[in-house]
Amino acid sequence: MRPLAPPLTLSENILGYLSFLNRALKANFAYKASTVLGLFTAALTYGITVLVWNHVYDQKGSSLNVTRQEMFAYLAMAFCLNYALTINIDQRVGQRIRLGLIATDLLKPLDFQMTQAFQALSDCIFNGFIALGIMAVAFSALGRQAFPKSPEAFGFFLASFFLAFIIQYSIVFFFIQGAFYTYSGYGIFASRIAVHHTLSGLQAPLTLYPPILRSIGAWLPFQHVVFTPITLYTGRAEGAQAWHLLGEQALWAAGFYLLGNLVMRKALKQLEIQGG
Amino acid sequence: MKNFDIYWATFKASLQAKLEYKLDFALGLLTSSMLQLAALGFLWVIFHQTSNLQGWTQAEVIFLFGLTAMSLGASELFFNHIWMVPYYIVMGDLDRLLVYPVRSLPFLLISRPELHSFGNLLTGLALTAGSLWTLHMPWQDWVLVPVWVLCGSVIYTSALVVFCSFSFKFVGPYGYTLMIPHTLLQASRYPLSIYPAWVHYGLLFLVPYGVFNYLPGNWVFGKMLFSAGAFLTPLVAVVCAAVAERVWNWGLKHYQSTGS
């Protein structure tokens, strides 16, 4: 089964995607209780990481490469960034594939991958506003450590955040394709989360990682979702180094977006939808 | 005895049905192991910075990781269906279960084994065995591991049932409530003594996960602190199961079918 070629003009296409974004945002607002519980669970998970690090600092004092203040500012930033970039399209698409509803998505005169990107953007905008609220609390608690190093660093961070979103979305979309081949998408989604948690720098700056783990991470895109944006935000990479990091992010974003498209075309060729 | 046969036949049939999806089985095995290894990755980062956590060495903490992973795996294998209940309540799908001539909670729990449980069980087994082997622990410790795992799965499932039962009273898309006891389980992989007192005692007495890994760990590694508590694990498991069934029955009284 193939998606129909979009017969719409460019402006109609854009309006279609924006309409999709608008509806997806409204859907996010409709599930307030789920949002609150999801946020609580995410905070609880992250609280464990914070408490473990807190104990390590109590035990080791100032002998670590990163000061306690820097570490907690990093962890607060990583939590907010990760929360803002939490995209739920894998669960949604996985369920639609299982129920056969994916057929109606493919019949729409809009590009499926781009439509899902706007759906993901709605998640990012919604979660991003919540993350900003948490950051505001972190600013008041952590003081200067939580602020960007300079206006230039903040500019680099914004560009990096945008690219991080595309990378994150493209990785999620790539993994979704596995749901076309399996009965339950759990394995596919869980494997992405496992690698993301380990190699994105979500639980600690990658500079504290054992060399082997850091080397593995350097060959994969996950560090560019959390660690790179924070590196730019805190001004640990400036000037040419910052541009270099943005270039790497752009390459990963473009590469994974195209890879996702290729894999989707192959997956759709073997898709069978039952029923009538 | 007759009831037990019904439960066992249901479990076997459900497991056989799941095993038909061979790719899912392989992926589930792989990915649940990956999730455990991801958690281990963080432990590796921590022990790259420090040699111990409140006196617990890396091998000793890995023992806690192993027991937790196996308890989780056993719960996913034997009692996994609880995760679907919030969805069934919203859809009114619980009616079918309630007309069966069996006790609703145990029958529900065993009727949907999850394939990725094998990944957690195997990874947990490898971690626990690796830890005990490395530390040259005596045979008694090896023998007690299955008891702690079984009790652990009962205690963890009981916590899930209690949290889930609130879904009967507060109907809505609240499947996330089950993530709270699940997340707390992740906390119990570390020695509880590294946490502030309220978390430490909360995980010993309120949501007693520490009873099936932290206390046994204390006993196995001779850390003295509450070490005799390791032998209370079966008793705590029985109490937790009884509490869970009472709360479940309370919840069922508030169940309203959708009428469709």
Side-chain angles (χ1 to χ4, degrees), chain A residues 5-270:
Chain A
L8 305 175
T9 62
L10 181 66
S11 60
E12 283 172 331
N13 255 318
I14 293 170
L15 280 175
Y17 293 131
L18 287 177
S19 162
F20 210 86
L21 173 73
N22 182 27
R23 278 158 204 274
L25 262 175
K26 281 179 182 165
N28 269 325
F29 276 103
Y31 295 107
K32 293 185 193 74
S34 283
T35 304
V36 171
L37 280 168
L39 179 63
F40 179 72
T41 310
L44 200 60
T45 308
Y46 219 60
I48 299 166
T49 305
V50 170
L51 289 174
V52 172
W53 275 119
N54 190 46
H55 175 78
V56 172
Y57 275 96
D58 283 348
Q59 201 168 279
K60 296 281 286 185
S62 56
S63 63
L64 298 183
N65 288 337
V66 178
T67 67
R68 185 191 284 259
Q69 287 77 11
E70 284 171 340
M71 174 58 97
F72 288 118
Y74 177 91
L75 290 175
M77 192 69 202
F79 174 77
C80 293
L81 197 59
N82 188 61
Y83 191 78
L85 292 172
T86 300
I87 293 168
N88 299 318
I89 55 168
D90 46 6
Q91 301 289 347
R92 276 196 293 260
V93 175
Q95 194 181 24
R96 293 183 76 78
I97 291 171
R98 219 165 32 252
L99 297 174
L101 296 170
I102 196 80
T104 55
D105 296 330
L106 296 170
L107 284 171
K108 286 174 185 157
L110 294 168
D111 178 70
F112 180 69
Q113 191 178 13
M114 190 56 82
T115 315
Q116 294 309 314
F118 274 83
Q119 178 90 51
L121 184 61
S122 84
D123 287 341
C124 184
I125 293 171
F126 184 77
N127 292 335
F129 273 107
I130 296 172
L132 276 177
I134 301 167
M135 264 322 271
V137 176
F139 276 17
S140 55
L142 296 163
R144 283 185 56 232
Q145 297 287 348
F147 284 83
K149 193 188 175 194
S150 63
E152 192 193 16
F154 189 63
F156 277 125
F157 166 76
L158 288 179
S160 178
F161 178 74
F162 174 69
L163 291 168
F165 165 73
I166 301 177
I167 295 173
Q168 174 80 332
Y169 162 69
S170 302
I171 294 172
V172 171
F173 189 81
F174 172 73
F175 274 79
I176 281 174
Q177 306 314 312
F180 282 104
Y181 299 92
T182 55
Y183 173 71
S184 155
Y186 169 84
I188 310 284
F189 309 148
S191 57
R192 179 189 67 79
I193 290 167
V195 185
H196 174 77
H197 275 211
T198 314
L199 299 174
S200 66
L202 180 60
Q203 295 172 309
L206 296 184
T207 47
L208 295 183
Y209 274 41
I212 303 170
L213 211 50
R214 211 183 317 162
S215 315
I216 297 169
W219 289 95
L220 294 166
F222 298 93
Q223 60 171 326
H224 293 303
V225 178
V226 176
F227 184 65
T228 301
I230 302 179
T231 303
L232 294 169
Y233 184 86
T234 51
R236 285 181 184 271
E238 293 175 304
Q241 208 187 350
W243 284 109
H244 180 79
L245 282 175
L246 287 179
E248 271 188 45
Q249 276 189 300
L251 281 176
W252 276 114
F256 252 85
Y257 191 89
L258 291 174
L259 187 64
N261 193 278
L262 280 175
V263 179
M264 179 188 75
R265 283 169 193 277
K266 197 168 160 42
L268 287 179
K269 278 183 186 160
Q270 59 83 52

Side-chain angles (χ1 to χ4, degrees), chain B residues 63-129:
Chain B
F63 174 79
L64 301 184
F65 267 65
L67 276 188
T68 310
M70 279 196 283
S71 301
L72 173 66
S75 171
E76 287 170 339
L77 182 60
F78 298 113
F79 315 122
N80 191 65
H81 210 167
I82 192 71
W83 286 90
M84 295 300 291
V85 172
Y87 175 76
Y88 290 161
I89 292 170
V90 171
M91 303 301 287
D93 283 348
L94 220 55
D95 301 20
R96 197 160 54 108
L97 169 78
L98 297 178
V99 297
Y100 291 157
V102 285
R103 279 165 69 192
S104 61
L105 181 61
F107 187 79
L108 173 98
L109 290 176
I110 53 108
S111 54
R112 192 185 162 112
E114 201 50 71
L115 293 179
H116 59 252
S117 59
F118 291 105
N120 285 325
L121 280 168
L122 289 174
T123 316
L125 182 65
L127 295 176
T128 309

